[in-house]
Amino acid sequence: MLSNHVPDPRLVTAYAERRDGPLHHVNPWTKLGVVGALVLAVTVVDRAAVLAGLYAVVLLVYVAAGLPAGRLLRWYTVPMLFIVSVAGPLAFLEPGTPIGAAFATPLGDVSVTVAGLVLFLELGFRSLTVVTFTLAAAMTTRYSDVAYVLGRVLPRPVDQVALLTYRFTFVMIETLEDLVKAAVARGGNLSEFWSNKRLYARILGMTMLSAIERAERLVKSMEARGYDGDLTLYGDVPRPPVHETLLVGGSYAAVLGYAAATTGVVL
């Protein structure tokens, strides 16, 4: 139930550790480079058609990697909430040719405009492109490789915080599931949020308190086993092959070339 609308770290880890698809054999450094190129691309590109094409390519890569497309559509719930909350009002406030009838508000009549709809689509394609490929990279990269890359890229102690946060996420999920099962077993109804908001608040509060207590016990157990602030993983991620290096370099060159062509700046 948890993974219906939120990516479950256990399911993501299971795909990364136990599946064997085409994207599993891609070097982790290459995936990290492509993520950076995508972030740069969605920042630079300002045309909805180009953004839609970029999203289609990323979605095709996700499906070709053998990852669950049905779950991906449900996992879009969280980013779509962000898109609707940010770009939704802008679709009404953007000046331009109105689409359909206007809605009466205390501030006057408002309507969705063509420019507002385009702006909404652009922000949606930008967000979903990065989210989709990030999920694809996470579901096709082993934890040991992720930890090694994070240890090389992030400064200390940020890398330790990231690794501990990832590991403690499983503890939080187990605590939340236990509390939900207990509430349902005692007759709790979680089908409607507003009518059961107090129950949701109690579950969230108990989750935080239980998680803090378990975190304290976890730290003591780690210190008893010799933890001194360094989660060192003895592994190695080799450099990407030549063709993958050229792919990443070509991606950045294409983005910079697009930016130069659209802005008229000579690089």
Side-chain angles (χ1 to χ4, degrees):
M1 290 186 299
L2 179 65
S3 61
N4 284 340
H5 302 289
V6 179
D8 188 347
R10 295 167 298 187
L11 181 62
V12 172
T13 304
Y15 268 91
E17 298 289 341
R18 301 181 182 179
R19 295 298 180 95
D20 187 17
L23 204 58
H24 285 76
H25 300 282
V26 178
N27 191 280
W29 290 112
T30 302
K31 299 174 188 177
L32 181 62
V34 173
V35 170
L38 285 176
V39 172
L40 181 61
V42 298
T43 304
V44 171
V45 176
D46 56 355
R47 297 182 181 179
V50 179
L51 291 171
L54 187 63
Y55 169 68
V57 172
V58 171
L59 186 61
L60 189 62
V61 171
Y62 180 95
V63 175
L67 302 177
R71 288 187 180 271
L72 178 65
L73 296 178
R74 294 193 293 268
W75 288 346
Y76 281 162
T77 302
V78 175
M80 284 305 298
L81 286 175
F82 168 77
I83 295 170
V84 171
S85 61
V86 174
L90 296 178
F92 291 92
L93 301 176
E94 192 73 12
T97 305
I99 301 176
F103 299 94
T105 65
L107 300 178
D109 294 340
V110 296
S111 62
V112 178
T113 62
V114 175
L117 179 60
V118 172
L119 183 63
F120 181 85
L121 293 176
E122 288 178 355
L123 183 58
F125 288 135
R126 285 191 175 99
S127 301
L128 296 182
T129 297
V130 178
V131 168
T132 302
F133 191 83
T134 301
L135 284 173
M139 297 176 71
T140 56
T141 307
R142 296 182 180 274
Y143 172 76
S144 58
D145 295 338
V146 174
Y148 179 84
V149 171
L150 290 179
R152 293 292 301 273
V153 173
L154 299 178
R156 191 174 303 273
V158 179
D159 59 338
Q160 301 299 306
V161 174
L163 294 175
L164 286 173
T165 301
Y166 174 79
R167 293 189 176 188
F168 194 69
T169 301
F170 296 94
V171 179
M172 289 283 291
I173 292 174
E174 291 177 358
T175 303
L176 179 60
E177 289 182 339
D178 292 340
L179 291 173
V180 170
K181 291 178 181 178
V184 173
R186 289 168 173 80
N189 183 11
L190 302 177
S191 59
E192 295 182 2
F193 176 77
W194 291 111
S195 59
N196 299 280
K197 55 183 179 294
R198 292 185 178 180
L199 179 59
Y200 276 93
R202 292 174 181 173
I203 291 177
L204 180 60
M206 288 300 301
T207 300
M208 297 301 297
L209 293 176
S210 301
I212 292 173
E213 293 178 356
R214 297 185 66 171
E216 292 176 349
R217 294 196 298 267
L218 181 62
V219 170
K220 292 180 180 178
S221 63
M222 291 175 64
E223 291 176 347
R225 291 169 173 80
Y227 175 71
D228 58 354
D230 183 16
L231 286 176
T232 303
L233 291 177
Y234 296 96
D236 183 35
V237 177
R239 294 181 178 180
V242 177
H243 66 279
E244 293 184 8
T245 304
L246 293 176
L247 174 64
V248 175
S251 301
Y252 282 96
V255 175
L256 295 177
Y258 176 89
T262 54
T263 59
V265 178
V266 179
L267 301 178

